[in-house]
Amino acid sequence: MTGPWSGGGYDYQADYPSQEEDAASDVTEGHDEEDQMYEGEYQGIPHPDEVKAAQRAARVISELEELSQQYEEIMEDCGHGKFQWTLFIVLGLALMADGVECFVVSFALPSAEKDLCLSNADKGMLGLIVFLSMMAGAFLWGGLADKVGRRRCLLVALAINCVFAFLSSFAQGYGFFLFFRLLSGIGIGGTVPIVYSYFSEFLQMDKRGEHLSWLCMFWMVGGIYASFTAWGIIPRYGWGFSMGTEFQFHSWRVFILVAALPAIASLVGLTFMPESPRFLLENAKHDEAWMILKQVHDTNWRAKGQPEKVFTVTHIKAPKTAEDEFIEIQSATGTPVQRWAVRSLTLCKLVLRNVASLLSAELRFATLFMAIIWFCMAFSYYGLSVWFPDMIKHLQYEENLSKVKVFHKERVENFHFNFSLENQIHKEGEYIHDKFISIEIKSVKFEDSLFEDCRFEDIRSTDTVFENCTIRSTVFYNTDLWEEKFIDCTMENTSFEHNKLGCHLDTVEENDVLIYLVSFLGSLAVLPGNIISALFMEKIGRVKIIGGSMLISAGCTFFLFLSSSQSAIIALQCLFCGVSVAAWNGIEVVTVELYPTSKRATAFGVLNALCKLAAVLGSSIFASFVGITKAVPILLSFTALVCGGLVALKLPDTREKVLQ
């Protein structure tokens, strides 16, 4: 008899155990599996599953090392040319958008606080939300980029930033403006960890340090762009329009739109760029990676005038991981909603597992050292970046106080004030039958004074208060002198008619141009440090540049004890920024090179999120000591920079390291 049950097909008898097996089972009857495992372990014999797991892990490591070496050879064959420079510009614009985001709110706030009626608490929350949202974005997009793809995540992150930055410029209320800036920050927060990981995977080893350092320059360009456009747009109050009293679109809103242009340009350019082939190979997408590498090769050699040069690579080692198989198996079952839920849950688990793996035995010390360096550098850099302009404002305030005119027990009757009042204190004065018509009152305090039968009409005021005053038979018509400006005052037969509503901008410039100038010079001072670090990144080495720059920056902070004028503080800010940028460049290059491809963006995202946390702490602590003492901010920044610099010198040299 032939057929599926005979020797020509499947062996029917194979479904039953043989007599020898049956006898063996009788002999071992009464012994469970745990007893056998214990006996083997007692004899020093590893479990078969452990042996298989160790063999599988060794095989994967061997395959990844082989892939790393082969990929480096392929990138050398592709060369460095037109493709990398095009990608350099596109990703540089994304990095520029991140630099702009750090300045947008601080530049717009002096005008926005009037337009949106912001209290000091509101302004503080708005400044805080920028860094907190970027911190969340760095962690989120960095983790996803290692599992979903660099290009795809960067596209979504930039799109989110562009959409909500646009919406925030039209938000008329504080709540909506805060919400839109929160989402905009989450979007742009993903640019730094993705951009460096993405670009590094198109660079060969001997070009990596230099060209990643050149890429860092775009962050500086973002600061220059933000300060220059704010300087040119915000003081021009005519650059806006209004629709009744409910919708106001002033110049600071125009600035927010213009500030989003780098992100929009990068988003458009990125649509023409391919995914990282190294990421595709890590995820077993051999054919897609091969096509992209061929595109890079052909683009570069065609631009160099050698179109006949052929891409000779035919096979690239692409290990397939159990994670990929798990997602594929799970997503192939159930309804579309169930598949989406399973994929999302699985993705979250894989991202969190990747984050946890940064503390594994082989990466633990690298992660700890880099966390200390990132935190120390960000704490000092962002703390002093806030302290410098705040100190300048404090010096301006002290200068204005020295110019304050004090009038004591003056008596003015039947007088028409048709000129502005500024930087004055009036104590125990008497104003009888006086008129204050169409004037501006700025930084004026009336204390223990009497106003009787007076008229205030068409008044614009800034930092003006009435304290312990008696106001009789007086009319306030079309003024912005509201109740909170009258402290412990007595009102007798006094009326307020047609008061100005809202917190709209005045028609004269009140923004301090010096704020824009300081930020502009600070960003411009980064240029020499950027150029020097890029040129010497390969010659001196990343570790020496980081450690040396942080220690020199620490030395620069002691000169702050000698700063007693605005010009001295501006000069020291430029010196500090110019030196510290070299450390930033080295930190970002080393972060890329220390971690394997499967964890690179995740590690960068976690460390960049820690950087934003340090920025929040540094700026809050340093700002609280403005006008009180210089010693605490200087000692804190010095200690942090020395600590970070010494730890940096313990890092391994990654110049000759192939990207893992």
Side-chain angles (χ1 to χ4, degrees), residues 94-198:
L95 203 59
M96 179 179 169
D98 181 88
V100 171
E101 186 75 14
C102 294
F103 293 96
V104 166
V105 170
S106 60
F107 285 158
L109 206 52
S111 299
E113 67 175 305
K114 295 183 177 182
D115 212 4
L116 299 175
C117 303
L118 302 182
S119 64
N120 288 333
D122 292 337
K123 290 187 288 183
M125 177 57 70
L126 199 51
L128 179 65
I129 207 69
V130 172
F131 286 103
L132 292 180
S133 60
M134 293 176 76
M135 180 177 70
F139 183 87
L140 172 67
W141 297 113
L144 289 175
D146 277 334
K147 297 301 175 185
V148 178
R150 282 80 161 104
R151 177 181 176 272
R152 185 186 301 180
C153 285
L154 188 56
L155 277 170
V156 176
L158 287 173
I160 290 173
N161 173 254
C162 293
V163 169
F164 289 104
F166 176 81
L167 292 176
S168 70
S169 68
F170 290 91
Q172 296 297 301
Y174 169 72
F176 279 113
F177 185 75
L178 183 70
F179 177 69
F180 290 146
R181 292 314 303 183
L182 169 68
L183 295 179
S184 172
I186 290 175
I188 203 64
T191 55
V192 171
I194 298 176
V195 160
Y196 286 103
S197 302
Y198 190 12

Side-chain angles (χ1 to χ4, degrees), residues 256-456:
I256 288 180
L257 286 179
V258 173
L261 291 180
I264 295 172
S266 179
L267 180 63
V268 173
L270 197 61
T271 59
F272 299 97
M273 293 291 107
E275 180 57 87
S276 163
R278 184 60 191 272
F279 167 79
L280 294 173
L281 290 171
E282 290 282 334
N283 290 271
K285 298 180 180 178
H286 174 277
D287 293 342
E288 293 179 48
W290 187 88
M291 291 296 294
I292 293 169
L293 289 170
K294 184 177 185 303
Q295 176 189 348
V296 175
H297 176 277
D298 294 348
T299 301
N300 286 342
W301 289 109
R302 194 181 300 117
K304 293 176 181 178
Q306 300 182 45
E308 70 282 356
K309 190 156 185 174
V310 179
F311 186 58
T312 57
V313 177
T314 57
H315 178 73
I316 308 173
K317 190 71 175 177
K320 189 172 181 65
T321 65
E323 291 177 358
D324 301 318
E325 295 169 358
F326 179 74
I327 292 178
E328 290 168 7
I329 292 170
Q330 294 292 332
S331 62
T333 59
T335 65
V337 175
Q338 289 174 331
R339 290 199 297 269
W340 177 84
V342 169
R343 288 183 65 88
S344 300
L345 182 60
T346 305
L347 186 60
C348 290
K349 290 179 180 178
L350 294 179
V351 169
L352 293 177
R353 189 186 304 166
N354 220 22
V355 172
S357 69
L358 299 179
L359 297 176
S360 62
E362 60 270 19
L363 295 175
R364 186 180 302 141
F365 287 106
T367 301
L368 177 62
F369 285 0
M370 291 308 300
I372 293 172
I373 295 166
W374 273 87
F375 186 90
C376 291
M377 189 66 209
F379 181 82
S380 300
Y381 180 83
Y382 287 102
L384 289 176
S385 294
V386 170
W387 187 81
F388 284 127
D390 281 357
M391 272 300 297
I392 291 173
K393 290 180 184 178
H394 177 71
L395 292 175
Q396 288 178 328
Y397 175 75
E398 288 185 335
E399 185 179 347
N400 289 334
L401 281 181
S402 65
K403 297 179 180 178
V404 169
K405 297 179 181 179
V406 180
F407 299 88
H408 192 70
K409 290 186 177 181
E410 64 175 350
R411 181 179 176 88
V412 182
E413 292 188 54
N414 299 310
F415 187 78
H416 184 183
F417 288 86
N418 57 2
F419 50 87
S420 295
L421 306 178
E422 185 173 355
N423 288 336
Q424 298 176 4
I425 297 177
H426 299 263
K427 295 183 177 181
E428 301 180 20
E430 295 182 4
Y431 305 90
I432 313 296
H433 304 297
D434 295 327
K435 294 182 179 180
F436 300 80
I437 308 293
S438 300
I439 64 172
E440 181 181 2
I441 305 177
K442 186 174 182 179
S443 300
V444 176
K445 182 178 183 180
F446 294 97
E447 187 176 340
D448 299 317
S449 298
L450 170 67
F451 294 85
E452 186 169 350
D453 198 20
C454 295
R455 183 175 181 86
F456 291 80

Side-chain angles (χ1 to χ4, degrees), residues 386-599:
V386 170
W387 187 81
F388 284 127
D390 281 357
M391 272 300 297
I392 291 173
K393 290 180 184 178
H394 177 71
L395 292 175
Q396 288 178 328
Y397 175 75
E398 288 185 335
E399 185 179 347
N400 289 334
L401 281 181
S402 65
K403 297 179 180 178
V404 169
K405 297 179 181 179
V406 180
F407 299 88
H408 192 70
K409 290 186 177 181
E410 64 175 350
R411 181 179 176 88
V412 182
E413 292 188 54
N414 299 310
F415 187 78
H416 184 183
F417 288 86
N418 57 2
F419 50 87
S420 295
L421 306 178
E422 185 173 355
N423 288 336
Q424 298 176 4
I425 297 177
H426 299 263
K427 295 183 177 181
E428 301 180 20
E430 295 182 4
Y431 305 90
I432 313 296
H433 304 297
D434 295 327
K435 294 182 179 180
F436 300 80
I437 308 293
S438 300
I439 64 172
E440 181 181 2
I441 305 177
K442 186 174 182 179
S443 300
V444 176
K445 182 178 183 180
F446 294 97
E447 187 176 340
D448 299 317
S449 298
L450 170 67
F451 294 85
E452 186 169 350
D453 198 20
C454 295
R455 183 175 181 86
F456 291 80
E457 184 174 340
D458 293 330
I459 302 297
R460 298 189 307 275
S461 65
T462 304
D463 296 328
T464 296
V465 294
F466 297 77
E467 187 172 340
N468 293 322
C469 294
T470 300
I471 303 175
R472 299 175 184 159
S473 304
T474 295
V475 176
F476 293 87
Y477 183 88
N478 192 30
T479 72
D480 58 5
L481 299 172
W482 305 308
E483 291 184 7
E484 58 266 23
K485 296 190 177 184
F486 297 90
I487 304 172
D488 297 327
C489 293
T490 302
M491 302 282 189
E492 300 177 6
N493 195 28
T494 297
S495 62
F496 292 84
E497 302 175 8
H498 301 285
N499 263 9
K500 294 179 179 180
L501 301 176
C503 311
H504 302 307
L505 293 173
D506 298 331
T507 55
V508 297
E509 179 178 342
E510 290 184 6
N511 293 289
D512 193 352
V513 175
L514 189 61
I515 297 174
Y516 309 136
L517 178 61
V518 169
S519 299
F520 179 82
L521 292 176
S523 299
L524 194 62
V526 171
L527 182 61
N530 235 319
I531 294 174
I532 292 172
S533 65
L535 293 177
F536 290 94
M537 188 65 70
E538 297 294 345
K539 297 176 181 177
I540 298 178
R542 297 87 159 103
V543 173
K544 292 180 180 178
I545 284 182
I546 298 171
S549 298
M550 292 186 76
L551 294 175
I552 294 172
S553 298
C556 292
T557 59
F558 271 97
F559 287 105
L560 294 173
F561 281 116
L562 306 176
S563 59
S564 57
S565 64
Q566 296 181 35
S567 57
I569 289 178
I570 293 174
L572 287 171
Q573 180 189 16
C574 293
L575 177 63
F576 177 78
C577 292
V579 174
S580 61
V581 70
W584 277 122
N585 290 1
I587 289 170
E588 284 153 351
V589 173
V590 168
T591 304
V592 164
E593 296 173 335
L594 275 179
Y595 293 93
T597 302
S598 60
K599 298 174 177 59

Side-chain angles (χ1 to χ4, degrees), residues 230-240 250-252 509:
W231 193 352
I233 294 175
I234 293 179
R236 274 64 176 176
Y237 296 116
W239 289 22
H250 293 296
S251 56
W252 68 270
E509 179 178 342

